[in-house]
Amino acid sequence: MLKVTVDLHPGGASEFRRTLATMTVSNVTELSDLSDYEITATEAASVLTGEPAKMFWFRLRRHHRRQSVWKLIAAAIAGLDDAKCAKL
């Protein structure tokens, strides 16, 4: 499983760090060359945009797993546009 965390460090100050979003990417097809992944992501509420906290989930299918991890992360992020979403 991969876990991606997006943290904001205002002005570079780690003592004011806050997590904006997280994503987990889990292979559900026993590491086959073309793998399916279960993606779960959360996004914190934003006072700037007025958006509520959200949770997304979907399955990324038939991803060529013998690529850079960044290709997998990019595909997972791209899939968020069509993912199921629930306000938290």
Side-chain angles (χ1 to χ4, degrees):
M1 173 177 47
L2 297 174
K3 183 167 184 180
V4 179
T5 304
V6 179
D7 287 340
L8 175 65
H9 296 250
S14 292
E15 63 269 21
F16 298 113
R17 175 195 64 80
R18 62 187 165 103
T19 298
L20 301 179
T22 63
M23 176 184 282
T24 59
V25 180
S26 302
N27 189 311
V28 293
T29 51
E30 311 229 356
L31 306 178
S32 60
D33 284 342
L34 287 176
S35 286
D36 292 352
Y37 294 85
E38 185 174 286
I39 312 296
T40 305
T42 61
E43 186 175 325
S46 172
V47 295
L48 293 175
T49 65
E51 288 290 316
K54 300 175 207 165
M55 181 174 159
F56 303 87
W57 63 95
F58 70 99
R59 188 161 284 193
L60 175 62
R61 299 194 184 276
R62 300 183 54 80
H63 177 78
H64 292 272
R65 76 177 271 286
R66 295 187 188 273
Q67 301 181 71
S68 166
V69 67
W70 295 112
K71 294 274 190 181
L72 176 55
I73 301 292
I77 290 170
L80 290 174
D81 288 339
D82 298 321
K84 294 179 183 174
C85 177
K87 294 178 184 177
L88 299 177

